[in-house]
Amino acid sequence: MTSYNLLLLPGDGIGPEVAAEVKKVADFLGTAGVARFETETDLVGGAAYDAHGKAISEDAMKLALAADAVLFGAVGGPKWAKVPYEHRPEAGLLRLRKDLQLFANLRPAVCYPALADASSLKREVVEGLDIMIVRELTGGVYFGEPKEIVTLENGEKRAVDTQVYTTHEIERITRVAFDLAKVRRKKVTSTEKHNVMRSGVLWKDVVTKVGAEEYADIELEHHLADACGMQLVRWPKQYDVILCDNLFGDMLSDVAAMLTGSLGMLPSASLGAPDEKTGKRKALYEPVHGSAPDIAGQGLANPIAMIGSFGMALRYSFGLGDAADMVDGAIADVLASGIRTRDIAAKGANAVGTKEMGDAIVAALKKRA
Ligand code: NAD
């Protein structure tokens, strides 16, 4: 049985609660003979600040760099509102993204039929939705220089952020999007604002070239990013893979997230470049939600986003697509059977806690295995 090395960084708030449920799923896959997961656990975020005075220790960083995949819970909370800026809990996540060079962020938006009524859109618009947003994560306007606020001679202030992309940065994220489309419904929609931004012109040119030269069998269309936002709430099922820069991806992935109902349902993956020798990518998997201080410690959190993130690790880091399908299928089975945590339950309906939801998913996995 192949063995994989998984680093668990549960973090703060509900992070440790939902991470415990992933451990159950990983242990089950081990006993079922699918693969063995050697898990190590370390601190990140506020928990790491309390223990080490920084949001991630050097030892934890070493483990992250050596792991086959990192599974991250969530960080932050009111307890750490006043820690120095460079040690705030989020600094741990930013350091991981930077040192692991995670340039590709994958956010699936899947609407399980059993949950279609939890969306703010009509059932027929979202039922069965399955799209993937691919967001460039390390370039663009969040990182471009100059990035400053200066005081002008007349006393007025002037703020500058710089949107900047190079050919290489666009090419590598484009390939991630096309490679995903290859094993999905073979369609990429690239978004930018070439009508008003020079970076949009380059983005569109490079995506078109990579598509034509390397992925002739994949359909490519271009949408202006604002129009894509509209289409996402009008008829999202027209999309398969949506490719975005860092800024537009930040917004469009949040819009797509809300199509599916609850924050507690949304997994994500962040991938680096393939290693030249092994072909393996550095990777971090995390739920989209935060540390939910309002429900932390009460056993109420929905663990599905975290378990779904582990499912993405099975698919994208370990090459265990069948096991990933099994985890996704077990989640769908549990939802179809009517089991709900409070965040996805109808008003007044019975809801189970974090552990019960984790147990129900493991039980559904057993049936499928
Ligand atoms: P949040 O995602 O933590 O919570 C928003 C709302 O959704 C809350 O009402 C919460 O109870 C609910 N919710 C979130 N996840 C849930 C789950 N799994 N099950 C059931 N309900 C769930 O966002 P927030 O309240 O804006 O932020 C709280 C803290 O988390 C802040 O410190 C913020 O900085 C941090 N945060 C961290 C990350 C991260 O670690 N990647 C992401 C977002 C926010």
Side-chain angles (χ1 to χ4, degrees), residues 31-280:
T31 52
V34 173
R36 184 175 297 121
F37 299 98
E38 308 286 350
T39 49
E40 290 200 72
T41 304
D42 213 316
L43 302 173
V44 69
Y49 179 78
D50 289 346
H52 307 297
K54 57 204 286 200
I56 187 159
S57 69
E58 295 312 313
D59 286 345
M61 278 308 307
K62 272 191 206 140
L63 290 176
L65 284 160
D68 290 318
V70 178
L71 207 60
F72 183 99
V75 292
K79 182 179 176 197
W80 301 283
K82 294 207 170 107
V83 305
Y85 185 76
E86 67 275 23
H87 297 312
R88 70 200 189 287
E90 293 77 10
L93 180 57
L94 295 179
R95 170 92 191 271
L96 283 160
R97 283 185 184 159
K98 183 164 166 275
D99 287 16
L100 271 59
Q101 298 183 29
L102 305 174
F103 70 88
N105 184 232
L106 276 48
R107 271 173 65 166
V110 173
C111 183
Y112 294 92
L115 287 188
D117 293 326
S119 168
S120 54
L121 299 188
K122 291 190 197 113
R123 172 175 276 274
E124 65 263 29
V125 175
V126 292
E127 186 173 10
L129 178 78
D130 177 5
I131 59 180
M132 175 74 83
I133 309 257
V134 176
R135 167 187 170 194
E136 202 289 328
L137 202 58
T138 51
V141 74
Y142 293 165
F143 297 98
E145 296 286 345
K147 187 177 199 63
E148 58 191 11
I149 300 177
V150 291
T151 305
L152 302 176
E153 276 175 14
N154 66 4
E156 230 193 317
K157 292 203 166 163
R158 181 171 180 268
V160 184
D161 292 288
T162 306
Q163 165 83 344
V164 54
Y165 272 109
T166 59
T167 310
H168 160 74
E169 285 174 301
I170 305 169
E171 280 172 351
R172 64 181 184 173
I173 190 74
T174 300
R175 291 192 181 107
V176 172
F178 274 104
D179 284 341
L180 283 166
K182 249 190 200 171
V183 293
R184 294 174 50 94
R185 296 189 301 281
K186 300 195 166 33
K187 180 174 169 188
V188 172
T189 304
S190 171
T191 61
E192 33 60 25
K193 291 280 289 175
H194 71 271
N195 52 339
V196 285
M197 295 171 77
R198 301 303 293 169
S199 56
V201 173
L202 182 67
W203 184 279
K204 188 174 179 198
D205 286 352
V206 173
V207 173
T208 304
K209 187 161 183 281
V210 171
E213 287 177 0
E214 300 173 32
Y215 302 91
D217 54 333
I218 309 282
E219 183 189 347
L220 169 65
E221 63 178 10
H222 302 274
H223 280 189
L224 291 174
D226 50 340
C228 180
M230 278 199 291
Q231 292 299 329
L232 270 175
V233 291
R234 193 188 70 83
W235 191 244
K237 288 189 229 174
Q238 69 185 281
Y239 294 118
D240 177 15
V241 175
I242 302 180
L243 169 62
C244 321
D245 75 3
N246 202 344
L247 173 67
F248 297 137
D250 198 0
M251 291 191 248
L252 294 175
S253 59
D254 272 13
V255 175
M258 281 300 98
L259 303 173
T260 66
S262 166
L263 263 177
M265 297 292 303
L266 297 163
S268 80
S270 298
L271 307 178
D275 181 272
E276 279 181 13
K277 282 192 203 127
T278 63
K280 282 190 185 168

Side-chain angles (χ1 to χ4, degrees), residues 1 26-35 326 365-366 369:
M1 193 164 43
D27 289 348
F28 169 75
L29 293 178
T31 52
V34 173
M326 211 160 80
L365 273 171
K366 272 187 194 151

